[in-house]
Amino acid sequence: MGKNLKEAVKMLEDSQRRTEEENGKKLISGDIPGPLQGSGQDMVSILQLVQNLMHGDEDEEPQSPRMQNIGEQGHMALLGHSLGAYISTLDKEKLRKLTTRILSDTTLWLCRIFRYENGCAYFHEEEREGLAKICRLAIHSRYEDFVVDGFNVLYNKKPVIYLSAAARPGLGQYLCNQLGLPFPCLCRVPCNTVFGSQHQMDVAFLEKLIKDDIERGRLPLLLVANAGTAAVGHTDKIGRLKELCEQYGIWLHVEGVNLATLALGYVSSSVLAAAKCDSMTMTPGLWLGLPAVPAVTLYKHDDPALTLVAGLTSNKPTDKLRALPLWLSLQYLGLDGFVERIKHACQLSQRLQESLKKVNYIKILVEDELSSPVVVFRFFQELPGSDPVFKAVPVPNMTPSGVGRERHSCDALNRWLGEQLKQLVPASGLTVMDLEAEGTCLRFSPLMTAAVLGTRGEDVDQLVACIESKLPVLCCTLQLREEFKQEVEATAGLLYVDDPNWSGIGVVRYEHANDDKSSLKSDPEGENIHAGLLKKLNELESDLTFKIGPEYKSMKSCLYVGMASDNVDAAELVETIAATAREIEENSRLLENMTEVVRKGIQEAQVELQKASEERLLEEGVLRQIPVVGSVLNWFSPVQALQKGRTFNLTAGSLESTEPIYVYKAQGAGVTLPPTPSGSRTKQRLPGQKPFKRSLRGSDALSETSSVSHIEDLEKVERLSSGPEQITLEASSTEGHPGAPSPQHTDQTEAFQKGVPHPEDDHSQVEGPESLR
């Protein structure tokens, strides 16, 4: 469309434009803002304005495709709207014949394709509008005096509309608003809770509800069944529901995405029963990727007067032109093209379902619906099993509270997985949804997205590969969450924040000295501490990601720890966070108190200087203070005055004597400073090892090629940590025997006693650091 607009602009720019000087008129600014000022705009300006509104500024960074790839079939559907506007200008008789032909052809084609014999069609823009008109038709059919008496008939015998608990949200409220019925006229039928699927209507309980309504003087009017629920694509037992509706005279309406499979050669029995229902609503435009194509409601009724009153038929020829876009699109695709698109979507769903069955830690929710074009799956927690990849990850003993948070943790991880997959494989059309019983799940519905996105089988394979690549991160993060929580709760100064929406290892908050837990006001000191903590942690260049998230409940500033792609030492991580936060708090507190401390120190120094001058005056006497006399006295009898130095301690904020310093200097022995105490959990890392990694010593994760170098590094670290005495002893032992034979000339017995393997030995050279030492 943008290309066509540009060509139109170029064509119109060749013509001469009318200017304001030629018209002799001046624009009156300020009357009406925008392009409506003056005597109107020329076509070039109008088309340029539309193009700018469509595409925006050209300087902006391209974020997503501006328009979907609609193809030729999409242009055909869009052409139908333009042709409909031109056709509406024809003569009334020609318009009536043409619209009747278009409506009858489209209705006949749809009834043949979807196996709905002797049906009528109603085309509507709003998907729920067809069901509202069907409800109005059912009311007129069951209440003979409704046209005359109106609400009085409904008041004496209230109608009841039955909806499944798995129906799309807001459907019942929409029907009541359109029909003017109170909400008690709706009856939600629960789904199976003991046997069968949790998303299928409970037929036995429905029959009980119908009997209760009849006993209370109500009229069971209409039942809405699902052939593919909006959430997971389950199909109700439509065959049994049809028998029940025929028994009690209830109108049966069916809707759902699985109705598209009626066009295929093989159809499941549950979906095939929908062809015998009283009405059904379909969305062929979404299934075929056709833009601006109306939804269709097929129904069976013999009284044209009632259908006219209900609004399903119209005498206006322009209303019949709604079928023109679909009429053109069906002719362009043909029967083979129509069926091929639906078949391709179903094959994509089956391909993904079969591939996911072979992937561990992935649960498929709709395994019994083989013909459903919807695949719903989720990642779930599982204890270490046969997969060797996850055996190396230690699993802490989960407490009952940790087991209770399992679902919230899995929900957050599934949301993270869904966002990652949508970015990596955008052609898959994945959506993230929340189910009441299962939690957060991922839905793959190619029937609604494949035609627009151009999804192929290679995209499904890429989707499965991306899922498998993200599983180690998900499992490792989920297993570290409980350990991280326990370490935080056992560390003073840290508070664990249980945020169920965070997909990382966890959320922690540092409680500083002036933290007011009961106050919800801003905490600038805490924000500065957490900002500095975030900067320090990111400078460590570890595999973890850290961020300062938004306020969660009453928590003001929190540190969010991201996903873990490898085995992480939670104890070292928590200790590093606590130590770094304390250091930042102490430094910030020192800087804040520096001004006050220096001011008090200056005042104290002035007092000390005044006292020192008074003491000097008393010691030397008044005569020595006279310039001439004092110099003579000092020449004959010099005064040996002690110099009293002072030093200012910024940390303590006090003046101290410098006498200990001069004493240490006079001794000349050299005073060594005490060693800096180290943390109890300070770990010495190997060269190249990133922070927060668990030590691999003593595990079977060392390979044969890298084991020798790792062991040598470990021995060097232990020698340095053992102190200088052990190094001196080892050096003296080696230098004290210059004639000792080299290790290559020792016999096998001595080599065995010293723990050095013989070169001819067939065993592995790596048996652990202790044996090599």
Side-chain angles (χ1 to χ4, degrees):
M1 185 174 179
K3 181 179 178 181
N4 296 335
L5 285 175
K6 289 182 179 179
E7 293 179 356
V9 169
K10 290 180 180 179
M11 293 173 60
L12 293 173
E13 282 179 349
D14 297 336
S15 62
Q16 186 178 5
R17 301 181 181 180
R18 293 179 300 174
T19 59
E20 298 176 4
E21 292 79 8
E22 294 176 354
N23 295 332
K25 298 181 180 179
K26 296 183 180 180
L27 296 176
I28 304 175
S29 60
D31 293 346
I32 299 179
L36 201 59
Q37 296 178 354
S39 59
Q41 302 287 330
D42 54 5
M43 189 172 294
V44 176
S45 301
I46 296 174
L47 292 178
Q48 187 66 42
L49 175 62
V50 174
Q51 186 179 13
N52 294 336
L53 293 175
M54 288 173 54
H55 299 295
D57 297 334
E58 297 293 340
D59 298 335
E60 295 181 355
E61 297 181 359
Q63 299 179 353
S64 60
R66 296 170 177 172
M67 299 180 63
Q68 67 181 30
N69 187 14
I70 54 179
E72 293 185 359
Q73 69 278 1
H75 286 287
M76 187 63 66
L78 295 175
L79 181 61
H81 292 273
S82 301
L83 289 177
Y86 283 106
I87 291 174
S88 62
T89 61
L90 294 177
D91 182 69
K92 291 184 178 181
E93 186 64 23
K94 294 182 179 180
L95 180 61
R96 184 185 62 81
K97 293 181 180 180
L98 181 58
T99 54
T100 303
R101 171 67 183 274
I102 294 173
L103 182 61
S104 61
D105 288 349
T106 310
T107 303
L108 178 62
W109 295 340
L110 292 175
C111 291
R112 293 289 177 86
I113 291 174
F114 294 104
R115 309 182 184 189
Y116 198 79
E117 300 178 357
N118 300 326
C120 301
Y122 172 68
F123 300 90
H124 46 92
E125 302 296 334
E126 170 64 34
E127 186 176 349
R128 299 172 296 181
E129 182 183 353
L131 178 57
K133 297 295 180 64
I134 290 296
C135 290
R136 188 172 285 111
L137 176 61
I139 291 175
H140 283 279
S141 300
R142 297 298 301 274
Y143 294 93
E144 298 180 356
D145 300 333
F146 179 75
V147 178
V148 179
D149 298 336
F151 178 76
N152 293 329
V153 179
L154 301 180
Y155 180 79
N156 296 329
K157 200 170 187 179
K158 296 180 181 179
V160 182
I161 300 175
Y162 300 94
L163 297 175
S164 173
R168 47 184 167 171
L171 181 60
Q173 183 179 2
Y174 173 82
L175 293 177
C176 290
N177 293 336
Q178 294 295 320
L179 300 175
L181 297 177
F183 288 146
C185 292
L186 295 176
C187 181
R188 300 189 69 85
V189 183
C191 296
N192 297 330
T193 55
V194 180
F195 302 101
S197 171
Q198 296 182 353
H199 300 273
Q200 287 182 340
M201 192 182 302
D202 193 340
V203 182
F205 197 86
L206 172 63
E207 186 175 4
K208 180 178 180 301
L209 291 175
I210 293 174
K211 292 180 179 180
D212 294 342
D213 291 334
I214 293 176
E215 291 177 359
R216 288 184 292 181
R218 297 183 177 182
L219 178 63
L221 181 66
L222 184 138
L223 171 65
V224 181
N226 293 312
T229 56
V232 296
H234 277 288
T235 301
D236 293 328
K237 301 175 182 178
I238 300 179
R240 295 184 56 187
L241 294 177
K242 178 59 179 176
E243 297 175 358
L244 192 63
C245 290
E246 290 179 351
Q247 179 180 354
Y248 294 97
I250 303 175
W251 186 288
L252 178 61
H253 180 83
V254 182
E255 61 180 15
V257 68
N258 290 353
L259 292 175
T261 59
L262 288 172
L264 302 179
Y266 171 76
V267 188
S268 62
S269 58
S270 58
V271 179
L272 187 60
K276 304 297 182 182
C277 63
D278 297 313
S279 60
M280 59 181 177
T281 299
M282 301 175 298
T283 56
L286 296 177
W287 301 342
L288 303 176
L290 303 175
V293 170
V296 184
T297 297
L298 300 179
Y299 63 95
K300 296 179 181 179
H301 202 271
D302 298 333
D303 193 346
L306 293 181
T307 57
L308 182 62
V309 172
L312 292 171
T313 56
S314 176
N315 293 328
K316 297 181 180 179
T318 55
D319 293 340
K320 300 178 182 180
L321 287 175
R322 295 178 182 174
L324 181 58
L326 188 57
W327 183 72
L328 296 174
S329 301
L330 290 177
Q331 294 185 75
Y332 179 83
L333 292 174
L335 180 61
D336 295 339
F338 188 95
V339 175
E340 183 63 28
R341 292 193 172 224
I342 299 177
K343 185 179 179 180
H344 174 67
C346 295
Q347 289 176 351
L348 292 176
S349 298
Q350 294 177 3
R351 185 169 184 171
L352 179 61
Q353 185 171 356
E354 294 298 328
S355 300
L356 291 180
K357 288 181 179 179
K358 304 175 184 178
V359 180
N360 295 328
Y361 309 102
I362 295 296
K363 179 182 178 182
I364 302 177
L365 272 64
V366 197
E367 294 185 357
D368 55 337
E369 300 285 341
L370 297 178
S371 60
S372 176
V374 180
V375 180
V376 181
F377 61 94
R378 75 189 303 261
F379 165 78
F380 73 106
Q381 184 186 22
E382 182 179 284
L383 295 178
S386 59
D387 195 349
V389 177
F390 305 103
K391 281 187 176 181
V393 181
V395 181
N397 295 326
M398 297 187 65
T399 59
S401 60
V403 176
R405 293 190 302 270
E406 177 184 354
R407 173 173 174 178
H408 297 290
S409 300
C410 289
D411 290 347
L413 293 177
N414 278 284
R415 282 191 291 269
W416 177 85
L417 177 62
E419 296 299 329
Q420 292 292 319
L421 294 178
K422 287 194 293 184
Q423 295 178 3
L424 295 175
V425 193
S428 62
L430 276 180
T431 56
V432 182
M433 62 179 182
D434 294 327
L435 300 180
E436 183 178 358
E438 291 81 4
T440 303
C441 302
L442 307 180
R443 177 175 59 188
F444 177 69
S445 181
L447 193 58
M448 308 296 288
T449 60
V452 176
L453 300 177
T455 310
R456 301 175 300 173
E458 293 78 6
D459 298 324
V460 175
D461 298 337
Q462 183 183 0
L463 179 63
V464 176
C466 292
I467 293 174
E468 293 177 346
S469 65
K470 298 299 180 181
L471 285 179
V473 180
L474 295 171
C475 293
C476 186
T477 302
L478 187 59
Q479 292 170 356
L480 284 172
R481 279 192 165 191
E482 186 66 22
E483 184 179 358
F484 179 80
K485 179 178 180 295
Q486 295 176 2
E487 292 291 340
V488 171
E489 292 177 348
T491 304
L494 295 182
L495 177 64
Y496 181 80
V497 181
D498 191 3
D499 188 355
N501 297 324
W502 178 244
S503 57
I505 296 179
V507 185
V508 63
R509 171 176 169 78
Y510 177 72
E511 296 179 320
H512 55 91
N514 300 328
D515 189 6
D516 189 3
K517 301 179 182 178
S518 60
S519 178
L520 298 179
K521 298 180 180 179
S522 60
D523 184 14
E525 183 178 356
E527 292 177 1
N528 294 333
I529 294 175
H530 285 84
L533 178 61
L534 177 64
K535 182 180 179 181
K536 292 286 186 181
L537 293 175
N538 288 331
E539 290 176 354
L540 297 178
E541 296 181 355
S542 63
D543 292 336
L544 295 176
T545 58
F546 303 92
K547 60 179 292 188
I548 299 296
E551 297 181 1
Y552 176 69
K553 294 184 178 180
S554 61
M555 303 301 171
K556 293 179 271 298
S557 298
C558 301
L559 179 67
Y560 286 73
V561 185
M563 308 288 291
S565 59
D566 200 354
N567 200 3
V568 175
D569 191 349
E572 182 187 0
L573 172 61
V574 174
E575 183 182 5
T576 304
I577 294 174
T580 308
R582 284 193 294 266
E583 180 183 357
I584 294 173
E585 182 183 9
E586 293 175 358
N587 295 336
S588 61
R589 190 172 301 168
L590 179 62
L591 293 175
E592 291 175 359
N593 299 333
M594 185 67 68
T595 304
E596 184 67 21
V597 170
V598 171
R599 186 182 63 82
K600 291 181 179 180
I602 292 174
Q603 294 177 358
E604 187 177 353
Q606 291 176 352
V607 174
E608 291 291 336
L609 289 175
Q610 185 177 359
K611 289 181 180 180
S613 63
E614 293 176 357
E615 292 176 358
R616 180 182 177 186
L617 179 62
L618 294 176
E619 291 178 359
E620 297 179 357
V622 179
L623 294 178
R624 293 184 184 271
Q625 307 303 322
I626 301 174
V628 178
V629 178
S631 59
V632 174
L633 290 176
N634 290 333
W635 183 73
F636 283 105
S637 176
V639 178
Q640 300 293 333
L642 296 177
Q643 298 293 334
K644 297 180 180 180
R646 294 292 186 269
T647 179
F648 183 67
N649 191 349
L650 289 176
T651 304
S654 61
L655 288 175
E656 297 177 359
S657 177
T658 58
E659 184 177 355
I661 299 177
Y662 293 109
V663 172
Y664 292 148
K665 278 192 173 184
Q667 292 177 358
V671 180
T672 58
L673 297 177
T676 303
S678 59
S680 59
R681 296 181 180 176
T682 302
K683 185 179 68 174
Q684 296 175 347
R685 292 188 293 271
L686 296 176
Q689 182 180 358
K690 292 186 178 181
F692 314 130
K693 296 292 183 182
R694 292 186 188 270
S695 177
L696 298 178
R697 180 167 181 169
S699 64
D700 298 335
L702 295 176
S703 62
E704 296 180 358
T705 57
S706 62
S707 59
V708 177
S709 61
H710 282 299
I711 292 171
E712 291 177 354
D713 294 335
L714 286 172
E715 288 180 353
K716 292 179 181 179
V717 171
E718 291 182 356
R719 289 177 181 176
L720 293 176
S721 62
S722 61
E725 297 180 359
Q726 185 177 355
I727 298 175
T728 306
L729 291 175
E730 291 179 359
S732 62
S733 62
T734 55
E735 294 176 359
H737 302 278
S742 60
Q744 287 82 1
H745 297 85
T746 56
D747 55 359
Q748 184 175 2
T749 305
E750 294 177 353
F752 179 76
Q753 292 175 355
K754 294 183 179 180
V756 180
H758 196 270
E760 298 179 357
D761 194 358
D762 295 334
H763 296 284
S764 175
Q765 296 181 4
V766 181
E767 295 183 359
E770 299 297 336
S771 62
L772 286 176
R773 194 171 290 120

